[in-house]
Every structure is written in C-alpha cells, then in structure tokens.
Amino acid sequence: MRRGSVFQLLAIGLVAGAIATAVAIFIPWLPTPASREAGRIDFVYWFATVISLFIFAVVAAILGYATLNFRAKKDDWSDGPPVHGHTTIEIIWTVIPAVLVTSIAIVSAIVLAKDSHAGPNPLVIKVYGQQFAWQFQYPNGQLYDNLHLPIDRGVKLEITSRDVLHSFWVPQFAQKQDAVPGQFNTLVITPDRLGTYPIICTELCGLGHSVMRSQATVMSQSDYAKWYKASTAPPPAAGGGSSGNAAAISTFTSNGCTACHTFTPIPSARGKVGPDLDKLKEDAAAAKESLTDFIHESIVDPNAYIAPGFQPNVMPPTFGKSIPAAQIDALVQYLAANTH
Ligand code: CUA
C-alpha cells in the first residue's frame, strides 16, 4: 500500500467520524437527566453511541477508500482476482464486535439492576391513571393531582389504572411504566435536579389522551417536608356542612374531573376539554332540565345532552357505575350549590 493511501484512509475515517460525532453532540436528542436513574441511562446511551461512532468511522473509511481506489475502469467487464479467506482479518472482525456488544450488554445489565433498586427507605407513592388524569396517593392517604418529590431520596411509584391502559412518563426521568388495571407496576426515581417536569401519558387511551398531563416538582428536602405537612389535611369531622363539601370535592378531584373541567371553587379544576362547570345553570336551562337533574344526568349519562361546541363520547360513561350513588348525590348537591 502506498504511503499516501494510508493518509487517505485515515482522512476519510476522521472526516466521517467528525461529522457523525457532531450530529450526536450538537443535536439535543435527549433532555437533561433529572434523576440518578436517568443519568445512568444517559451513560449507557453515550457508551453505545461512542462505540457506534468508532465503528461507523472505520466502515466509512474502508468504504470510501475502496470506492476511490479500486473502481473498475470504464467498459472493464472482466472478473476481479480470486480472493481466498484471510484468517487474521476474520478473527479481528469477529472478536472486536463480540467484545464491544458484550460490553454494552454488561453495562446495560448493571444499569438495569441499579435503576430498579429504590434503596433502604423509599418514599412509596401510588399512581392512578384514569381517563384523562393522573392521581398520586401519598403515605398520608391523600390524593394529589401533581407529584412533589424530595431531592436525593429514592421514590418508589406503584402505578396502576382505574380504567384502560395508560403509561407514565417523565422525559427527564427517562423511564416509562405502563398503568394496567388490576396490577401495580413499580418505577424507581431518585430525583437529583431541582425543577418542574411534565408527566405525560404515553399510551393512547382515548380522546383526551393528549391532555392527560400533570407535573412533577423536585423540591429540596426541607421544602418537601414543609409542603407535605401543609398539604396534609386534618381528618374531616363527622356530620354535614363543610365536611360534606370536602367529601364532594374529594369525589370530584379523585375521579379526575379537574383535568377536563373548569370550576372556580376548586382551584385545581382548570381543564378546558369539557364544559365550564361555572356555567351549569345556562347549560341546564338549554337542556330544559332542573339544575340537579341535569348535573346528575351529565355525570351518569354524559351523552344525553352535549353542550354546544363540545363532542359526544369524550367523557367516560362509566362514572354511574364506578362512583357510589351516595357520593354522586353529594357531588350533585355541591356542584348545584356552588355554581354561579
Ligand atoms: Cu392516558 Cu393516554
């Protein structure tokens, strides 16, 4: 081989490798990790990418070099010289890829094992998916619309669904986990970066799939302790009055109504998928029904009257079966008494 040819081979390999490396580095393919698990997954990604870039440069160099130097001359239809096996090269191109692929497998297996281990004292949170909202149940038994997580503490999510298949995903935490009715799937998160990140449903689950979103806020340990204490409500007193309201509000929020409906007396109810519940009186009048009959019908048989500008079959028709009748009645009374 001529000396200049070796430089040509190296030059093609370096240029191809540099272009591919620039594509890998300068396009933000993945979000910045916000958990230790995501950081490890990021490492596996770069580990495999660096190996791939090296192999790509070698293949591009040999391909480009061969194309430039071993072209058949025009109108040369003769056979090339016969080629026999070359044991040394065959051993090289078998052993090197085998070592590289095995190293990726080992690194992946270590990361997979570490990422499913929550440590000795994890914060266990139950996650409920439901058309079309997420609910998070903390050790105090209360349900929340959003996740609040302390930094640097292992969190074990136990994820399930109240109706159809959903899937829990926070891009900055890297992992996804399916929400399946009748079983709890676990996902371990150890947040290591403060901030607020989107929680996305990543399994097509119906018309409201694209709005089935919440937020995960990673807080300092002391801010988390303050938030948890402040948000833990005292147990409701027996009897009616304001605790009846509290029960109705809990029925409303725990069934995901806040994701789709706006209702001013409940601050978390800011959804725009379904009709504005501050205007229930206008809708009842348009449907020519009494206010309480209209609200009751809209919960148990949502397709009976569709407000102008909205679509049928968006609201799940199952609440009449999934919510006990007494709870529905209390919710109807609460909504009727508190709408404008
Ligand atoms: Cu729930 Cu998509």
Coordinates of all heavy atoms in Angstrom, one line a residue, residues 17 19 25 31 39 41 56 64 102 114 125 131 162 165 180 200 202 229 252 261 270-271 279 290 298 312 317 320:
G17 N -16.1 10.4 10.9 CA -16.3 10.3 12.3 C -16.6 11.6 12.9 O -17.5 11.7 13.8
I19 N -18.1 14.2 11.5 CA -19.4 14.6 11.1 C -20.5 13.9 12.0 O -21.4 14.5 12.5 CB -19.7 14.4 9.6 CG1 -18.8 15.3 8.7 CG2 -21.2 14.6 9.3 CD1 -18.9 15.0 7.2
I25 N -23.5 15.1 19.1 CA -23.3 16.0 20.3 C -24.2 17.3 20.1 O -24.8 17.7 21.1 CB -21.8 16.5 20.3 CG1 -21.0 15.3 20.8 CG2 -21.7 17.6 21.3 CD1 -19.5 15.6 20.8
P31 N -33.4 14.9 26.8 CA -33.5 16.0 27.8 C -32.4 15.8 28.8 O -31.9 14.7 29.0 CB -34.9 15.9 28.4 CG -35.3 14.5 28.1 CD -34.6 14.0 26.9
G39 N -29.7 9.5 34.7 CA -28.2 9.8 34.5 C -27.5 8.5 34.0 O -26.7 8.5 33.1
I41 N -29.0 5.9 32.5 CA -29.4 5.6 31.2 C -28.7 6.5 30.2 O -28.3 6.0 29.1 CB -31.0 5.7 31.1 CG1 -31.6 4.7 32.0 CG2 -31.5 5.7 29.7 CD1 -33.1 4.8 32.2
F56 N -18.6 3.3 12.8 CA -19.1 4.0 11.6 C -17.9 4.6 10.9 O -17.7 4.5 9.7 CB -20.0 5.1 12.0 CG -20.4 6.0 10.9 CD1 -21.3 5.6 9.9 CD2 -19.9 7.3 10.7 CE1 -21.7 6.4 8.8 CE2 -20.2 8.1 9.7 CZ -21.1 7.6 8.7
G64 N -15.1 4.3 1.6 CA -14.7 5.4 0.8 C -13.4 5.1 0.1 O -13.2 5.4 -1.1
T102 N -20.7 -7.3 23.8 CA -20.8 -7.9 25.2 C -20.6 -6.8 26.2 O -21.3 -6.8 27.2 CB -19.7 -9.0 25.4 OG1 -19.8 -9.9 24.3 CG2 -19.8 -9.7 26.7
K114 N -29.4 -1.6 38.8 CA -29.3 -0.4 39.8 C -30.6 0.4 39.7 O -31.1 0.9 40.7 CB -28.1 0.4 39.4 CG -26.8 -0.2 39.9 CD -25.7 0.9 39.8 CE -24.5 0.5 40.6 NZ -23.6 1.6 40.8
I125 N -45.3 6.0 46.6 CA -46.4 6.7 46.2 C -47.2 5.9 45.2 O -46.6 5.3 44.3 CB -46.0 8.1 45.5 CG1 -45.1 8.9 46.4 CG2 -47.2 8.8 45.0 CD1 -44.5 10.1 45.8
Q131 N -58.9 8.0 32.6 CA -59.3 8.9 31.6 C -59.8 10.2 32.2 O -60.8 10.2 32.8 CB -60.4 8.3 30.7 CG -59.9 7.1 29.8 CD -61.1 6.4 29.1 OE1 -62.1 6.2 29.7 NE2 -60.9 6.1 27.9
R162 N -57.3 3.0 36.7 CA -58.7 2.7 37.1 C -59.6 2.3 36.0 O -60.8 2.0 36.1 CB -59.3 4.0 37.8 CG -58.7 4.3 39.1 CD -59.6 5.3 39.9 NE -59.1 5.6 41.2 CZ -58.5 6.8 41.5 NH1 -58.3 7.7 40.5 NH2 -58.0 7.0 42.7
L165 N -55.7 1.1 29.6 CA -54.2 1.2 29.7 C -53.7 2.6 29.5 O -54.2 3.3 28.6 CB -53.5 0.3 28.6 CG -53.8 -1.2 28.6 CD1 -53.1 -1.8 27.4 CD2 -53.3 -1.8 29.9
V180 N -51.7 -0.5 34.3 CA -52.5 -1.6 33.9 C -53.6 -1.8 35.0 O -53.2 -2.0 36.1 CB -51.7 -2.9 33.7 CG1 -52.6 -4.0 33.2 CG2 -50.6 -2.6 32.7
I200 N -46.4 12.8 31.4 CA -47.1 12.6 30.2 C -47.7 11.2 30.1 O -47.0 10.3 30.5 CB -46.1 12.8 29.0 CG1 -45.6 14.3 29.0 CG2 -46.8 12.5 27.7 CD1 -44.5 14.6 28.1
T202 N -48.3 8.2 27.9 CA -47.7 7.9 26.7 C -48.2 6.6 26.1 O -47.5 5.8 25.5 CB -46.1 7.9 26.8 OG1 -45.5 7.4 25.6 CG2 -45.7 7.0 27.9
K229 N -46.3 18.6 55.1 CA -47.0 19.0 56.4 C -48.2 19.9 56.1 O -49.3 19.6 56.5 CB -46.0 19.6 57.3 CG -46.5 19.6 58.8 CD -45.3 19.9 59.7 CE -45.8 20.0 61.1 NZ -45.5 21.3 61.8
F252 N -64.8 14.8 43.4 CA -64.5 15.5 42.1 C -63.1 15.3 41.7 O -62.8 14.9 40.6 CB -64.9 17.0 42.3 CG -64.9 17.8 41.1 CD1 -66.0 17.8 40.3 CD2 -63.8 18.5 40.7 CE1 -66.0 18.6 39.1 CE2 -63.8 19.3 39.5 CZ -64.9 19.3 38.7
H261 N -62.5 19.8 33.4 CA -63.5 20.8 33.6 C -62.9 22.0 34.4 O -62.1 21.8 35.3 CB -64.7 20.2 34.4 CG -65.5 19.3 33.6 ND1 -66.3 19.6 32.6 CD2 -65.5 17.9 33.7 CE1 -66.9 18.5 32.1 NE2 -66.4 17.5 32.7
R270 N -59.1 23.4 36.3 CA -58.9 24.4 35.3 C -59.0 23.8 33.8 O -58.5 24.4 32.9 CB -57.6 25.1 35.5 CG -57.6 26.0 36.7 CD -56.3 26.9 36.7 NE -55.1 26.0 36.7 CZ -54.5 25.7 37.9 NH1 -55.0 26.1 39.0 NH2 -53.4 24.9 37.9
G271 N -59.5 22.5 33.7 CA -59.5 21.8 32.4 C -60.4 22.5 31.4 O -61.3 23.3 31.8
K279 N -70.8 27.4 34.4 CA -71.9 27.8 33.6 C -73.0 26.7 33.6 O -73.8 26.6 32.6 CB -71.5 28.1 32.2 CG -70.4 29.2 32.0 CD -70.3 29.7 30.6 CE -69.4 30.9 30.5 NZ -68.0 30.5 30.4
S290 N -84.1 20.6 35.3 CA -83.8 21.3 36.6 C -82.3 21.1 36.8 O -81.7 20.2 36.2 CB -84.5 20.6 37.7 OG -83.9 19.4 38.1
S298 N -75.7 14.4 33.6 CA -74.4 14.7 32.9 C -73.3 13.8 33.5 O -72.4 13.5 32.8 CB -74.1 16.2 33.1 OG -75.1 17.0 32.5
P312 N -69.6 14.5 21.6 CA -70.0 13.3 22.4 C -68.9 12.3 22.6 O -67.9 12.4 21.9 CB -71.2 12.8 21.6 CG -70.9 13.2 20.2 CD -70.2 14.5 20.3
P317 N -68.4 7.2 30.1 CA -69.8 7.0 30.5 C -69.9 6.1 31.8 O -71.0 5.6 32.1 CB -70.4 6.3 29.3 CG -69.3 5.5 28.7 CD -68.0 6.3 29.0
G320 N -71.4 6.5 36.6 CA -72.5 6.0 37.2 C -72.3 4.7 37.9 O -73.0 4.3 38.9

